[in-house]
């Protein structure tokens, strides 16, 4: 399940609901621009802000040896900062980016999301939303009941393009 949130407050509420349903930080995917991270989370101690940056500083800036650096970051933690692309990727999807190495990045964010199972039109919408300052959140619901509950909650919390 994925959704786009246009502001910090709605994303925080949706993330909090995931925690209340028993999902941990390693279950939740977050994608946002580095600019959005700085705008919403640089000086604020929030659940998403903490998750989004907790491991990103452990690796060196991603440069020439993209594949090797991504693999090393994935082995250290679950957050990737991709300064060249201006993206922050946290959660299980970060491992998918790292596992694919430079190939995932050369295909761009849309290609990587499609590779992760997001339909292309939705991936394009998410990419546009991220560029406009939005936060994409994703999780794999454990049960159909969780999926129904989370979809309703995310839509209530101004989630857009909720896909499951």
């Amino acid at each position: 399940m994925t959704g786009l949130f246009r502001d910090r407050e709605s994303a925080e509420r949706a993330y909090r609901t995931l925690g209340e349903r028993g999902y941990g930080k390693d279950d939740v995917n977050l994608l946002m621009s580095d600019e959005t991270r700085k705008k919403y989370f640089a000086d604020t101690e929030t659940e998403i802000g903490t998750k989004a940056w907790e491991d990103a500083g452990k690796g060196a800036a991603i440069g020439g040896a993209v594949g090797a650096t991504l693999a090393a970051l994935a082995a250290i933690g679950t957050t990737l900062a991709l300064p060249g692309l201006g993206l922050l990727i946290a959660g299980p999807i970060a491992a998918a980016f790292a596992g694919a190495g430079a190939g995932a990045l050369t295909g761009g964010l849309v290609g990587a999301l499609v590779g992760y199972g997001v339909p292309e039109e939705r991936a394009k919408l998410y990419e546009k939303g991220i560029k406009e300052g939005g936060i994409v959140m994703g999780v794999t619901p454990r049960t159909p009941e969780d999926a129904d509950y989370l979809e309703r909650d995310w839509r209530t919390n101004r989630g857009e393009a909720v896909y499951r």
Side-chain angles (χ1 to χ4, degrees):
M1 168 177 282
T2 54
L4 172 65
F5 298 88
R6 299 280 181 173
D7 59 76
R8 189 194 87 199
E9 292 78 17
S10 61
E12 286 282 350
R13 283 192 302 271
Y15 187 78
R16 205 169 305 120
T17 297
L18 288 168
E20 292 166 2
R21 298 289 291 192
Y23 293 87
K25 64 183 175 72
D26 293 331
D27 297 317
V28 181
N29 293 307
L30 294 173
L31 293 94
M32 69 183 83
S33 70
D34 190 47
E35 186 175 307
T36 297
R37 182 201 59 82
K38 288 176 185 173
K39 176 181 177 182
Y40 289 137
F41 305 112
D43 297 325
T44 307
E45 192 63 31
T46 66
E47 292 178 66
I48 290 179
T50 300
K51 175 183 176 42
W53 205 239
E54 66 185 0
D55 293 323
K58 291 183 181 176
I62 296 174
V66 174
T69 305
L70 288 175
L73 281 172
I76 294 171
T78 58
T79 303
L80 295 177
L82 307 175
L85 297 177
L87 288 175
L88 182 91
I89 303 165
I93 197 170
F97 271 79
L105 299 177
T106 57
L109 179 60
V110 171
L113 288 172
V114 168
Y116 197 71
V118 176
E120 186 173 356
E121 284 190 33
R122 188 77 41 122
K124 288 178 180 178
L125 180 67
Y126 290 159
E127 179 183 52
K128 182 177 186 276
I130 289 169
K131 287 179 179 178
E132 294 171 348
I135 300 166
V136 172
M137 189 177 310
V139 68
T140 300
R142 294 183 186 122
T143 65
E145 293 79 20
D146 272 1
D148 291 342
Y149 183 89
L150 294 170
E151 182 177 8
R152 280 190 309 275
D153 182 75
W154 285 13
R155 289 183 192 281
T156 299
N157 285 307
R158 298 190 311 256
E160 299 175 21
V162 176
Y163 169 76
R164 60 182 233 186

